[in-house]
């Protein structure tokens, strides 16, 4: 229970049924941002009461995904906390306790029917085109519950329920949604409907943030809060994530993949967080590229959209590029090295020298790694050497004038006080403009890279440094 009711407590409560897709991660992110914004607590709870649906390794995967994104929890599975354990399968005693309270109050009873009998009731309702309501078959007298039969809730009153949704405003639903749902199954595990209410209450959760698929069950949740005599928390319904065409909910075929796949493709967590935050929310101003701290500061449930928000991978790529560019070059290099170490690509010796180029161009760490190891910068090693044909190919000038120009380039560069991309450009560019740009810049570039395509000659000279630049031009001159 929450000893300090003004303190915000949110939770992310995934079921360990597979990988973490973007929808789940975004729910976690909003809960985390909201808790951080209000100096509150963020809990990671695992809802593993449906053993049939459980997928081995999911919990580790959830933990790894959230950690990668930096969404650290204050309490939860693997770190514990004042309300441990944080796995529902280990909290059965707690559900039993509340089940007994309900039985004692006359609000719970063992289901006397077999599954087959319930199936017949359901079929009959379907044949008669009526909604199936278990409560219409509620037995008159309740036996004692020995745990071998499902325990059902006896919904105390059939009435209309109203509640406030922090995103959608005033909502209400009536009797059609109220029924004697199962609290504890015959296998001893609670249902989601029961367990989450007990856990949220015991853990002092103040705000429940979850998908719209739970709205239709709100009356049964509200009737259970009432029967238990516990306060309702606040509710916030997340906007659904739609496929890029905006027409249907995002499915696996539209790119709803495992969030860790993005890490392996070279996306960085701050970009992913920024991108996810903007699916269904905005800060209420023009800003788009935001750090995680800026997101925390600006976050508010009031700016969550009611309607579905589109998932657009191109936008993710754009965010990633922007966030890569915001890193310091040391940080970029560190991230790139860490990324390379997870692949079979090897970092070449000149990695540090080409970092500025990679950082300006690559949209993902994978792209940077591929530029680095794919031969694009192989001119950085000593091995490349041009041919005469290539030196002249784009020069639009004969070998004699190309020779003169390269000699002039040597003279201009040899006495430069400081040698970098900018100072090289400052002396070469005016000369090239005067005598013909392609006649100077093409052969200079080819002399330095040995390649038909490469960065511009000033960048190359800056990367190679004075000695190697002059040596390569000298070598090229011998071809002419
Ligand atoms: N265990 C539920 C799910 O994974 C969580 C719903 C909730 O947040 O209450 O869908």
């Amino acid at each position: 229970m929450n000893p300090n009711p003004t303190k915000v407590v949110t939770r992310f409560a995934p079921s360990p049924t597979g990988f973490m897709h973007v929808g789940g991660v975004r729910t976690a992110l909003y809960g985390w941002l909201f808790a951080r914004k209000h100096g509150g607590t963020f809990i990671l709870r695992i809802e593993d009461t449906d053993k049939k649906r459980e997928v081995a390794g999911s919990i580790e995967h959830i933990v790894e995904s959230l950690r990668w994104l930096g969404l650290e929890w204050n309490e939860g599975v693997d770190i514990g906390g004042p309300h441990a354990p944080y796995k529902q399968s280990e909290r059965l005693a707690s559900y039993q306790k509340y089940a007994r309270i309900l039985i004692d109050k006359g609000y719970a009873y063992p289901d006397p029917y077999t599954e087959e009998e319930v199936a017949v009731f359901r079929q009959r309702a379907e044949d008669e085109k009526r909604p199936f309501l278990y409560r219409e078959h509620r037995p008159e007298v309740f036996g004692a519950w020995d745990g071998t039969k499902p325990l059902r809730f006896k919904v105390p009153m059939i009435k209309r329920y109203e509640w406030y949704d922090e995103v959608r405003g005033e909502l209400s639903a009536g009797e059609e949604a109220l029924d004697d749902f199962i609290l504890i199954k015959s296998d001893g595990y609670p249902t989601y409907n029961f367990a989450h209410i007990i856990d949220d209450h015991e853990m002092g959760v103040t705000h429940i943030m979850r998908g719209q698929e739970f709205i239709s069950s709100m009356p049964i949740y509200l009737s259970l809060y009432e029967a238990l005599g516990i306060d309702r928390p606040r509710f916030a319904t997340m906007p659904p994530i739609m496929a890029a065409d905006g027409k249907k909910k995002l499915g696996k075929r539209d790119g709803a993949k495992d969030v860790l796949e993005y890490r392996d493709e070279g996306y960085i967590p701050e970009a992913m967080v920024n991108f996810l935050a903007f699916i269904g929310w905005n800060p209420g101003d023009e800003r788009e590229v935001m750090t995680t701290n800026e997101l925390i500061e600006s976050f508010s449930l009031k700016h969550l959209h009611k309607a579905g928000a589109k998932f657009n991978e191109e936008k993710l790529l754009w965010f990633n590029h922007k966030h890569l560019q915001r890193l310091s070059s040391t940080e970029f290099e560190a991230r790139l090295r860490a990324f390379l170490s997870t692949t079979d690509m090897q970092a070449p010796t000149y990695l540090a020298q080409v970092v500025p180029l990679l950082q300006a161009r690559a949209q993902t760490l994978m792209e940077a790694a591929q530029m680095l190891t794919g031969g694009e910068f192989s001119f950085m090693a000593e091995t490349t050497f041009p041919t005469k044909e290539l030196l002249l190919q784009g020069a639009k000038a004969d070998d004699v004038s190309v020779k003169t120009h390269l000699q002039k380039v040597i003279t201009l560069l040899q006495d430069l006080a400081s040698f970098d991309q900018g100072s090289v450009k400052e002396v070469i560019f005016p000369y090239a403009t005067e005598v013909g740009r392609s006649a100077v810049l093409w052969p200079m570039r080819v002399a330095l890279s040995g390649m038909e395509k490469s960065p511009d000659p000033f960048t190359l000279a800056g990367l190679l440094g004075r000695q190697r630049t002059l040596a390569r031009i000298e070598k090229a001159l011998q071809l002419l």
Side-chain angles (χ1 to χ4, degrees):
M1 272 152 269
N2 192 343
N4 171 8
T6 58
K7 185 182 164 97
V8 164
V9 180
T10 62
R11 46 57 166 190
F12 179 51
S15 300
T17 50
F19 64 70
M20 286 269 284
H21 60 83
V22 289
V25 182
R26 193 206 46 179
T27 300
L29 171 64
Y30 286 170
W32 182 84
L33 287 171
F34 189 68
R36 291 292 168 269
K37 157 103 186 189
H38 297 282
T41 297
F42 179 62
I43 299 175
L44 174 61
R45 178 173 81 219
I46 300 295
E47 303 206 320
D48 60 341
T49 56
D50 191 348
K51 289 292 163 192
K52 291 190 293 293
R53 288 179 59 225
E54 201 163 320
V55 175
S58 308
I59 299 180
E60 292 73 11
H61 197 89
I62 290 165
V63 163
E64 191 178 345
S65 303
L66 295 178
R67 289 244 156 85
W68 173 59
L69 292 166
L71 309 184
E72 294 289 337
W73 44 104
N74 307 87
E75 300 174 24
V77 73
D78 89 330
I79 59 167
H83 308 291
Y86 292 90
K87 232 175 161 180
Q88 288 186 327
S89 60
E90 295 168 7
R91 301 178 61 79
L92 302 186
S94 176
Y95 311 128
Q96 288 278 337
K97 182 178 114 191
Y98 285 89
R100 293 285 162 201
I101 294 176
L102 288 170
I103 293 171
D104 291 347
K105 286 186 167 186
Y107 291 147
Y109 63 93
D111 181 340
Y113 302 111
T114 61
E115 267 177 49
E116 291 73 31
E117 285 169 320
V118 177
V120 170
F121 298 153
R122 181 167 288 128
Q123 187 59 47
R124 203 184 301 153
E126 208 169 286
D127 293 345
E128 293 168 12
K129 301 200 168 30
R130 297 184 289 114
F132 168 65
L133 288 170
Y134 185 94
R135 60 180 156 88
E136 290 174 356
H137 306 275
R138 185 190 295 158
E140 308 234 323
V141 277
F142 306 153
W145 183 51
D146 63 3
T148 61
K149 288 281 193 181
L151 184 72
R152 283 197 184 256
F153 179 52
K154 176 178 174 265
V155 57
M157 205 188 292
I158 305 305
K159 62 173 184 184
R160 198 159 187 85
Y161 276 93
E162 289 173 355
W163 71 98
Y164 182 74
D165 187 297
E166 303 288 322
V167 178
R168 303 198 179 196
E170 296 294 345
L171 298 177
S172 74
E175 27 195 85
E176 69 290 348
L178 286 168
D179 203 9
D180 288 5
F181 64 95
I182 294 179
L183 301 164
I184 297 192
K185 297 173 280 181
S186 54
D187 64 4
Y189 283 96
T191 54
Y192 165 78
N193 292 340
F194 182 45
H196 86 275
I197 286 181
I198 303 308
D199 291 339
D200 287 339
H201 172 62
E202 294 225 303
M203 296 175 183
V205 171
T206 57
H207 292 74
I208 296 187
M209 299 158 76
R210 64 185 163 200
Q212 64 177 5
E213 61 274 27
F214 295 94
I215 290 185
S216 59
S217 305
M218 280 300 285
I220 63 171
Y221 303 152
L222 297 176
S223 63
L224 187 54
Y225 288 116
E226 238 169 52
L228 284 167
I230 58 181
D231 290 339
R232 307 171 171 185
R234 290 168 182 256
F235 304 100
T237 298
M238 305 293 107
I241 300 186
M242 312 299 283
D245 66 5
K247 293 203 184 88
K248 53 177 181 334
K249 265 186 94 172
L250 184 72
K252 282 187 191 160
R253 246 177 291 139
D254 319 294
K257 54 189 173 191
D258 177 352
V259 69
L260 289 178
E261 274 182 53
Y262 291 103
R263 175 191 63 184
D264 301 342
E265 288 171 13
Y267 290 87
I268 58 172
E270 41 277 74
M272 195 71 202
V273 162
N274 194 166
F275 166 71
L276 287 171
F278 272 74
I279 307 180
W281 172 87
N282 66 63
D285 54 39
E286 294 301 303
R287 284 176 300 166
E288 276 202 285
V289 180
M290 294 171 77
T291 63
T292 304
N293 279 337
E294 288 166 345
L295 291 171
I296 292 173
E297 223 167 89
S298 321
F299 192 73
S300 127
L301 295 177
K302 292 281 165 275
H303 283 130
L304 281 191
H305 307 164
K306 290 190 183 62
K310 280 187 232 166
F311 177 84
N312 178 352
E313 268 199 345
E314 277 168 33
K315 193 78 196 189
L316 171 59
L317 200 57
W318 180 84
F319 273 118
N320 206 57
H321 188 44
K322 295 282 178 199
H323 279 277
L324 281 175
Q325 289 179 321
R326 283 173 80 132
L327 300 178
S328 69
S329 54
T330 331
E331 180 60 21
F332 181 91
E333 184 183 337
R335 303 260 191 130
L336 182 55
R337 284 189 190 279
F339 181 79
L340 282 166
S341 72
T342 66
T343 69
D344 52 13
M345 294 182 259
Q346 301 297 321
T349 49
Y350 49 80
L351 185 153
Q353 288 169 277
V354 296
V355 157
L357 270 188
L358 295 172
Q359 193 171 1
R361 290 164 57 191
Q363 289 185 290
T364 62
L365 291 174
M366 176 63 96
E367 235 177 70
Q370 283 167 345
M371 285 179 195
L372 192 60
T373 59
E376 198 170 331
F377 297 105
S378 57
F379 59 82
M380 290 299 291
E382 298 292 344
T383 47
T384 35
F385 197 66
T387 60
K388 180 172 178 177
E389 289 67 40
L390 193 55
L391 272 175
L392 298 176
Q393 186 180 302
K396 297 187 203 130
D398 60 24
D399 48 356
V400 180
S401 24
V402 166
K403 191 169 180 173
T404 318
H405 296 323
L406 288 183
Q407 278 161 343
K408 178 72 179 174
V409 167
I410 291 182
T411 333
L412 290 169
L413 293 186
Q414 119 189 315
D415 303 320
L416 268 187
S418 80
F419 194 96
D420 58 38
Q421 181 183 342
S423 55
V424 170
K425 187 166 182 180
E426 216 169 282
V427 291
I428 302 299
F429 203 68
Y431 171 69
T433 307
E434 191 188 314
V435 300
R437 286 195 192 150
S438 45
V440 179
L441 301 182
W442 173 276
M444 177 178 167
R445 193 182 59 70
V446 170
L448 296 183
S449 70
M451 301 200 294
E452 189 173 354
K453 287 198 182 109
S454 74
D456 67 79
F458 314 118
T459 306
L460 293 175
L463 287 170
L464 291 166
R466 187 188 326 251
Q467 239 184 357
R468 279 195 288 171
T469 298
L470 294 178
R472 286 187 187 194
I473 299 175
E474 296 278 9
K475 249 180 162 180
L477 277 171
Q478 289 165 20
L479 293 171
L480 296 167

